[in-house]
């Protein structure tokens, strides 16, 4: 075999070995952690980069306020984890420094601010995204992204597969020679099974009637084909649900079709399509800055804002004016996930009052508007009034 092909083939063998190992680990981890059965639930607070620490701190204050009784009784503890910054990551050349990863693993759930994702040409080394690494390291396979626009009858919940597809091996591609670059994408039976079940279970528990699978299985036949077939196979266990499927291209079009889009409820889709479609969907709700995202695994869960770290705001000294809404929304999902749906609802209601109804404070991102801290205080005052 030619030498360059030989080298690439060896690389591919290594890639496969890692995937086989990953499948074994998935098979071992069958059950979700039961938070009620824990003596103490640990919530990690990770600020991240840029405006991350400022906005995450505001969401943290609100969570401490809502969970004060649980903290007093020792049922819940907060753990602030510094160090997931681009400076530290660049210094050790790792997506997540080892000491930070060890601290993350001491938590059950994590609230995470935005982290800078370097790309070729940046002043930073081109290390893997901390988000993507955390999803893989903590096996956070379900990325759940709700999008609601009540006035337009939009009520969607996306279940984006979070550990496979084009992302799983996004940093493991190979330049075979000067002319050929190859990337890999992976779909596994176990990985598809768990995301499909999570989406179907959610649909049943939340009174949804329809789940839509999105792929490009007509072209990407092996991996997307497997994803689609597996979803339909598991759907047979949920006879009460209507399950249909669409290709990603026409799906992006149908989301802007006002008559069609209101018929969709729950989506389940591979990683990359989920990345793209959820940005489009969030735009109807006011942009990615308004959306929260839950990354759920069987042992860990992480809740994050889906916008970027806005380093320019920090350079211009405006981080205290950054809008904490998205990371507060992530906090709402965290509260619901750890078994406090009542507190989650209260916070959601207060957010709605402060952002859409009363609007006593407005955030503009500059000193023409309120600070994130003032906004968080306003929310807590509103919660107190709600009783
Ligand atoms: C998201 C983001 C990330 C992703 C980036 C920051 C790596 O776009 O959470 O959707 O592509 O998953
Ligand atoms: Mg994205």
């Amino acid at each position: 075999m030619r030498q360059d092909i030989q080298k690439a083939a060896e690389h591919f063998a290594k890639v496969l070995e890692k995937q086989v190992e990953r499948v074994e680990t998935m098979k071992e981890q069958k059950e979700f952690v039961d938070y009620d059965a824990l003596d103490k639930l640990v919530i990690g607070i990770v600020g991240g980069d840029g405006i991350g620490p400022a906005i995450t701190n505001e969401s943290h204050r609100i969570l401490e306020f809502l969970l004060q009784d649980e903290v007093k009784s020792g049922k819940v503890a907060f753990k602030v984890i510094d160090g997931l910054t681009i400076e530290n990551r660049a210094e050790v050349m790792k997506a997540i420094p080892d000491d930070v990863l060890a601290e993350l693993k001491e938590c059950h759930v994590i609230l995470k601010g935005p982290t800078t994702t370097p790309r070729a040409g940046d002043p930073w080394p081109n290390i893997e995204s901390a988000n993507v690494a955390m999803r893989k390291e903590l096996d956070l396979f379900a990325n759940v992204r709700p999008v609601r626009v009540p006035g337009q009858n939009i009520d969607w919940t996306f279940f984006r597969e979070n550990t496979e597809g084009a992302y799983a091996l996004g940093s493991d591609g190979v330049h075979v020679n000067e002319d050929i670059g190859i990337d890999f994408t992976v779909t596994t039976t176990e990985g598809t099974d768990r995301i499909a079940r999570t989406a179907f279970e959610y649909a049943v528990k939340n009174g949804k009637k329809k789940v839509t699978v999105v792929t490009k299985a007509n072209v990407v036949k092996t991996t997307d084909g497997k994803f689609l077939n597996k979803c339909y196979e598991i759907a047979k266990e949920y006879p009460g649900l209507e399950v249909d499927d669409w290709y990603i291209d026409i799906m992006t079009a149908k989301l802007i079709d006002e008559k069609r889009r209101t018929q969709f409820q729950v989506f389940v889709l591979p990683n990359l399509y989920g990345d793209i479609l959820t940005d489009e969907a969030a735009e109807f709700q006011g942009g990615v800055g308004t959306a929260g995202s839950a990354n759920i695994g069987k042992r860990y869960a992480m809740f994050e804002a889906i916008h970027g770290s806005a380093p320019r705001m920090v350079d211009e000294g405006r981080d205290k004016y950054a809008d904490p809404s998205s990371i507060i929304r992530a906090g709402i999902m965290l509260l619901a996930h750890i078994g406090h749906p009542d507190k989650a609802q209260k916070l959601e209601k207060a957010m709605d009052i402060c952002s859409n109804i009363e609007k006593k404070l407005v955030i503009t991102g500059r000193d023409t508007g309120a600070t994130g801290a003032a906004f968080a205080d306003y929310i807590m005052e509103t919660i107190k009034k709600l009783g």
Side-chain angles (χ1 to χ4, degrees), residues 7-23 165 168-174 182-186 188:
K7 238 177 108 198
E10 279 164 19
H11 176 82
F12 185 48
K14 277 197 208 120
V15 164
L16 291 181
E17 268 165 35
K18 264 204 251 164
Q19 292 307 309
V20 171
E21 245 174 64
R22 195 173 61 82
V23 168
L169 300 163
S171 300
D172 287 320
V174 47
I182 300 258
D183 265 315
F184 307 107
T185 182
V186 57
T188 68

mmCIF file of all heavy atoms in Angstrom, residues 7-23 165 168-174 182-186 188:
data_model
loop_
_atom_site.group_PDB
_atom_site.id
_atom_site.type_symbol
_atom_site.label_atom_id
_atom_site.label_comp_id
_atom_site.label_asym_id
_atom_site.label_seq_id
_atom_site.Cartn_x
_atom_site.Cartn_y
_atom_site.Cartn_z
ATOM 1 N N LYS A 7 -0.667 5.086 6.265
ATOM 2 C CA LYS A 7 -0.705 5.902 7.483
ATOM 3 C C LYS A 7 -2.142 6.267 7.858
ATOM 4 O O LYS A 7 -2.547 6.200 9.012
ATOM 5 C CB LYS A 7 0.111 7.190 7.273
ATOM 6 C CG LYS A 7 1.231 7.320 8.282
ATOM 7 C CD LYS A 7 2.069 8.537 8.035
ATOM 8 C CE LYS A 7 1.824 9.590 9.094
ATOM 9 N NZ LYS A 7 2.264 10.914 8.687
ATOM 10 N N ALA A 8 -2.910 6.650 6.829
ATOM 11 C CA ALA A 8 -4.306 7.012 7.078
ATOM 12 C C ALA A 8 -5.095 5.803 7.571
ATOM 13 O O ALA A 8 -5.950 5.916 8.453
ATOM 14 C CB ALA A 8 -4.928 7.581 5.807
ATOM 15 N N ALA A 9 -4.787 4.640 7.012
ATOM 16 C CA ALA A 9 -5.499 3.423 7.416
ATOM 17 C C ALA A 9 -5.205 3.102 8.881
ATOM 18 O O ALA A 9 -6.094 2.698 9.637
ATOM 19 C CB ALA A 9 -5.101 2.258 6.514
ATOM 20 N N GLU A 10 -3.966 3.323 9.282
ATOM 21 C CA GLU A 10 -3.610 3.084 10.696
ATOM 22 C C GLU A 10 -4.361 4.049 11.607
ATOM 23 O O GLU A 10 -4.840 3.679 12.672
ATOM 24 C CB GLU A 10 -2.094 3.234 10.893
ATOM 25 C CG GLU A 10 -1.341 1.985 10.470
ATOM 26 C CD GLU A 10 0.151 2.254 10.280
ATOM 27 O OE1 GLU A 10 0.663 3.264 10.806
ATOM 28 O OE2 GLU A 10 0.787 1.434 9.572
ATOM 29 N N HIS A 11 -4.425 5.285 11.153
ATOM 30 C CA HIS A 11 -5.171 6.283 11.926
ATOM 31 C C HIS A 11 -6.637 5.851 12.068
ATOM 32 O O HIS A 11 -7.228 5.926 13.145
ATOM 33 C CB HIS A 11 -5.083 7.648 11.234
ATOM 34 C CG HIS A 11 -5.892 8.719 11.886
ATOM 35 N ND1 HIS A 11 -5.428 9.427 12.984
ATOM 36 C CD2 HIS A 11 -7.134 9.181 11.643
ATOM 37 C CE1 HIS A 11 -6.347 10.294 13.357
ATOM 38 N NE2 HIS A 11 -7.404 10.161 12.558
ATOM 39 N N PHE A 12 -7.204 5.388 10.964
ATOM 40 C CA PHE A 12 -8.599 4.960 10.959
ATOM 41 C C PHE A 12 -8.810 3.795 11.937
ATOM 42 O O PHE A 12 -9.799 3.740 12.666
ATOM 43 C CB PHE A 12 -9.014 4.564 9.540
ATOM 44 C CG PHE A 12 -10.467 4.218 9.401
ATOM 45 C CD1 PHE A 12 -11.457 5.048 9.937
ATOM 46 C CD2 PHE A 12 -10.874 3.069 8.730
ATOM 47 C CE1 PHE A 12 -12.804 4.736 9.820
ATOM 48 C CE2 PHE A 12 -12.217 2.751 8.611
ATOM 49 C CZ PHE A 12 -13.191 3.573 9.156
ATOM 50 N N ALA A 13 -7.857 2.898 11.988
ATOM 51 C CA ALA A 13 -7.972 1.761 12.910
ATOM 52 C C ALA A 13 -8.044 2.259 14.355
ATOM 53 O O ALA A 13 -8.841 1.765 15.160
ATOM 54 C CB ALA A 13 -6.781 0.824 12.726
ATOM 55 N N LYS A 14 -7.236 3.291 14.662
ATOM 56 C CA LYS A 14 -7.248 3.842 16.024
ATOM 57 C C LYS A 14 -8.596 4.481 16.333
ATOM 58 O O LYS A 14 -9.135 4.360 17.424
ATOM 59 C CB LYS A 14 -6.135 4.884 16.174
ATOM 60 C CG LYS A 14 -4.811 4.251 16.480
ATOM 61 C CD LYS A 14 -3.826 5.289 17.029
ATOM 62 C CE LYS A 14 -2.416 4.867 16.678
ATOM 63 N NZ LYS A 14 -1.688 5.836 15.859
ATOM 64 N N VAL A 15 -9.113 5.217 15.341
ATOM 65 C CA VAL A 15 -10.419 5.858 15.493
ATOM 66 C C VAL A 15 -11.480 4.801 15.805
ATOM 67 O O VAL A 15 -12.302 4.956 16.702
ATOM 68 C CB VAL A 15 -10.768 6.633 14.191
ATOM 69 C CG1 VAL A 15 -12.249 6.973 14.145
ATOM 70 C CG2 VAL A 15 -9.920 7.897 14.084
ATOM 71 N N LEU A 16 -11.417 3.704 15.083
ATOM 72 C CA LEU A 16 -12.404 2.636 15.278
ATOM 73 C C LEU A 16 -12.288 2.019 16.667
ATOM 74 O O LEU A 16 -13.292 1.751 17.326
ATOM 75 C CB LEU A 16 -12.232 1.545 14.219
ATOM 76 C CG LEU A 16 -12.603 1.945 12.792
ATOM 77 C CD1 LEU A 16 -12.409 0.768 11.856
ATOM 78 C CD2 LEU A 16 -14.034 2.440 12.716
ATOM 79 N N GLU A 17 -11.054 1.811 17.100
ATOM 80 C CA GLU A 17 -10.860 1.214 18.423
ATOM 81 C C GLU A 17 -11.530 2.053 19.498
ATOM 82 O O GLU A 17 -12.205 1.540 20.386
ATOM 83 C CB GLU A 17 -9.365 1.102 18.734
ATOM 84 C CG GLU A 17 -8.780 -0.234 18.319
ATOM 85 C CD GLU A 17 -7.270 -0.194 18.288
ATOM 86 O OE1 GLU A 17 -6.662 0.500 19.139
ATOM 87 O OE2 GLU A 17 -6.686 -0.839 17.392
ATOM 88 N N LYS A 18 -11.352 3.384 19.400
ATOM 89 C CA LYS A 18 -11.958 4.280 20.395
ATOM 90 C C LYS A 18 -13.480 4.180 20.365
ATOM 91 O O LYS A 18 -14.150 4.230 21.389
ATOM 92 C CB LYS A 18 -11.543 5.738 20.109
ATOM 93 C CG LYS A 18 -10.353 6.188 20.931
ATOM 94 C CD LYS A 18 -10.344 7.705 21.072
ATOM 95 C CE LYS A 18 -9.215 8.307 20.259
ATOM 96 N NZ LYS A 18 -9.327 9.746 20.033
ATOM 97 N N GLN A 19 -14.028 4.055 19.177
ATOM 98 C CA GLN A 19 -15.486 3.968 19.055
ATOM 99 C C GLN A 19 -16.022 2.654 19.623
ATOM 100 O O GLN A 19 -17.068 2.636 20.262
ATOM 101 C CB GLN A 19 -15.919 4.154 17.591
ATOM 102 C CG GLN A 19 -15.687 5.557 17.069
ATOM 103 C CD GLN A 19 -16.316 6.626 17.952
ATOM 104 O OE1 GLN A 19 -17.486 6.565 18.295
ATOM 105 N NE2 GLN A 19 -15.523 7.598 18.362
ATOM 106 N N VAL A 20 -15.274 1.589 19.405
ATOM 107 C CA VAL A 20 -15.694 0.293 19.960
ATOM 108 C C VAL A 20 -15.699 0.371 21.492
ATOM 109 O O VAL A 20 -16.648 -0.069 22.153
ATOM 110 C CB VAL A 20 -14.764 -0.841 19.452
ATOM 111 C CG1 VAL A 20 -15.047 -2.140 20.200
ATOM 112 C CG2 VAL A 20 -14.938 -1.035 17.951
ATOM 113 N N GLU A 21 -14.681 1.016 22.024
ATOM 114 C CA GLU A 21 -14.602 1.204 23.478
ATOM 115 C C GLU A 21 -15.788 2.017 23.993
ATOM 116 O O GLU A 21 -16.383 1.713 25.017
ATOM 117 C CB GLU A 21 -13.337 2.010 23.798
ATOM 118 C CG GLU A 21 -12.286 1.289 24.580
ATOM 119 C CD GLU A 21 -11.052 2.173 24.666
ATOM 120 O OE1 GLU A 21 -11.120 3.259 25.281
ATOM 121 O OE2 GLU A 21 -10.019 1.775 24.061
ATOM 122 N N ARG A 22 -16.098 3.087 23.256
ATOM 123 C CA ARG A 22 -17.197 3.966 23.659
ATOM 124 C C ARG A 22 -18.524 3.198 23.696
ATOM 125 O O ARG A 22 -19.332 3.365 24.606
ATOM 126 C CB ARG A 22 -17.292 5.152 22.682
ATOM 127 C CG ARG A 22 -18.130 6.299 23.183
ATOM 128 C CD ARG A 22 -18.055 7.500 22.263
ATOM 129 N NE ARG A 22 -18.539 7.197 20.926
ATOM 130 C CZ ARG A 22 -19.831 7.189 20.586
ATOM 131 N NH1 ARG A 22 -20.733 7.495 21.486
ATOM 132 N NH2 ARG A 22 -20.183 6.893 19.364
ATOM 133 N N VAL A 23 -18.715 2.353 22.723
ATOM 134 C CA VAL A 23 -19.955 1.562 22.679
ATOM 135 C C VAL A 23 -20.037 0.651 23.912
ATOM 136 O O VAL A 23 -21.096 0.530 24.533
ATOM 137 C CB VAL A 23 -20.040 0.748 21.369
ATOM 138 C CG1 VAL A 23 -21.153 -0.291 21.457
ATOM 139 C CG2 VAL A 23 -20.283 1.678 20.186
ATOM 140 N N GLY A 165 -22.299 11.347 15.488
ATOM 141 C CA GLY A 165 -22.382 12.083 14.225
ATOM 142 C C GLY A 165 -21.048 12.692 13.830
ATOM 143 O O GLY A 165 -19.975 12.180 14.163
ATOM 144 N N ALA A 168 -18.475 13.695 16.869
ATOM 145 C CA ALA A 168 -17.715 12.737 17.682
ATOM 146 C C ALA A 168 -16.264 12.674 17.210
ATOM 147 O O ALA A 168 -15.342 12.515 18.000
ATOM 148 C CB ALA A 168 -18.357 11.366 17.592
ATOM 149 N N LEU A 169 -16.069 12.809 15.905
ATOM 150 C CA LEU A 169 -14.728 12.652 15.337
ATOM 151 C C LEU A 169 -14.286 13.914 14.618
ATOM 152 O O LEU A 169 -13.399 13.880 13.770
ATOM 153 C CB LEU A 169 -14.746 11.440 14.394
ATOM 154 C CG LEU A 169 -15.130 10.133 15.115
ATOM 155 C CD1 LEU A 169 -15.541 9.054 14.147
ATOM 156 C CD2 LEU A 169 -13.973 9.665 15.987
ATOM 157 N N GLY A 170 -14.906 15.031 15.005
ATOM 158 C CA GLY A 170 -14.634 16.301 14.336
ATOM 159 C C GLY A 170 -13.180 16.744 14.433
ATOM 160 O O GLY A 170 -12.692 17.475 13.580
ATOM 161 N N SER A 171 -12.487 16.308 15.491
ATOM 162 C CA SER A 171 -11.063 16.657 15.626
ATOM 163 C C SER A 171 -10.177 15.469 15.273
ATOM 164 O O SER A 171 -8.984 15.471 15.551
ATOM 165 C CB SER A 171 -10.763 17.120 17.062
ATOM 166 O OG SER A 171 -11.537 18.245 17.389
ATOM 167 N N ASP A 172 -10.761 14.422 14.700
ATOM 168 C CA ASP A 172 -10.001 13.202 14.396
ATOM 169 C C ASP A 172 -9.896 12.909 12.910
ATOM 170 O O ASP A 172 -9.595 11.783 12.509
ATOM 171 C CB ASP A 172 -10.656 11.989 15.089
ATOM 172 C CG ASP A 172 -10.406 12.013 16.583
ATOM 173 O OD1 ASP A 172 -9.288 12.365 16.977
ATOM 174 O OD2 ASP A 172 -11.336 11.698 17.347
ATOM 175 N N GLY A 173 -10.185 13.906 12.092
ATOM 176 C CA GLY A 173 -10.082 13.698 10.642
ATOM 177 C C GLY A 173 -8.622 13.521 10.242
ATOM 178 O O GLY A 173 -7.716 13.626 11.073
ATOM 179 N N VAL A 174 -8.396 13.243 8.975
ATOM 180 C CA VAL A 174 -7.013 13.008 8.555
ATOM 181 C C VAL A 174 -6.727 13.650 7.189
ATOM 182 O O VAL A 174 -7.540 13.590 6.275
ATOM 183 C CB VAL A 174 -6.670 11.486 8.591
ATOM 184 C CG1 VAL A 174 -7.751 10.654 7.942
ATOM 185 C CG2 VAL A 174 -5.333 11.185 7.948
ATOM 186 N N ILE A 182 -9.986 13.897 4.924
ATOM 187 C CA ILE A 182 -11.146 13.037 5.192
ATOM 188 C C ILE A 182 -11.594 13.245 6.629
ATOM 189 O O ILE A 182 -10.775 13.267 7.548
ATOM 190 C CB ILE A 182 -10.782 11.533 5.013
ATOM 191 C CG1 ILE A 182 -10.313 11.240 3.592
ATOM 192 C CG2 ILE A 182 -11.944 10.640 5.440
ATOM 193 C CD1 ILE A 182 -11.307 10.579 2.686
ATOM 194 N N ASP A 183 -12.903 13.414 6.798
ATOM 195 C CA ASP A 183 -13.479 13.436 8.142
ATOM 196 C C ASP A 183 -14.327 12.187 8.319
ATOM 197 O O ASP A 183 -14.703 11.548 7.345
ATOM 198 C CB ASP A 183 -14.361 14.679 8.320
ATOM 199 C CG ASP A 183 -13.597 15.825 8.955
ATOM 200 O OD1 ASP A 183 -12.882 15.565 9.937
ATOM 201 O OD2 ASP A 183 -13.708 16.964 8.471
ATOM 202 N N PHE A 184 -14.652 11.901 9.570
ATOM 203 C CA PHE A 184 -15.467 10.718 9.832
ATOM 204 C C PHE A 184 -16.744 11.107 10.554
ATOM 205 O O PHE A 184 -16.777 12.082 11.300
ATOM 206 C CB PHE A 184 -14.706 9.735 10.730
ATOM 207 C CG PHE A 184 -13.348 9.385 10.232
ATOM 208 C CD1 PHE A 184 -12.215 9.894 10.860
ATOM 209 C CD2 PHE A 184 -13.188 8.562 9.125
ATOM 210 C CE1 PHE A 184 -10.942 9.577 10.394
ATOM 211 C CE2 PHE A 184 -11.919 8.247 8.664
ATOM 212 C CZ PHE A 184 -10.798 8.752 9.296
ATOM 213 N N THR A 185 -17.772 10.333 10.346
ATOM 214 C CA THR A 185 -18.999 10.528 11.115
ATOM 215 C C THR A 185 -19.470 9.164 11.585
ATOM 216 O O THR A 185 -19.227 8.159 10.899
ATOM 217 C CB THR A 185 -20.051 11.299 10.289
ATOM 218 O OG1 THR A 185 -21.200 11.496 11.090
ATOM 219 C CG2 THR A 185 -20.441 10.571 9.022
ATOM 220 N N VAL A 186 -20.072 9.117 12.770
ATOM 221 C CA VAL A 186 -20.395 7.810 13.351
ATOM 222 C C VAL A 186 -21.817 7.793 13.930
ATOM 223 O O VAL A 186 -22.259 8.763 14.543
ATOM 224 C CB VAL A 186 -19.342 7.418 14.426
ATOM 225 C CG1 VAL A 186 -19.240 8.466 15.516
ATOM 226 C CG2 VAL A 186 -19.646 6.063 15.043
ATOM 227 N N THR A 188 -24.160 4.919 16.163
ATOM 228 C CA THR A 188 -24.166 3.582 16.770
ATOM 229 C C THR A 188 -25.593 3.196 17.154
ATOM 230 O O THR A 188 -26.457 4.062 17.355
ATOM 231 C CB THR A 188 -23.286 3.512 18.032
ATOM 232 O OG1 THR A 188 -23.900 4.302 19.065
ATOM 233 C CG2 THR A 188 -21.883 4.025 17.773
#
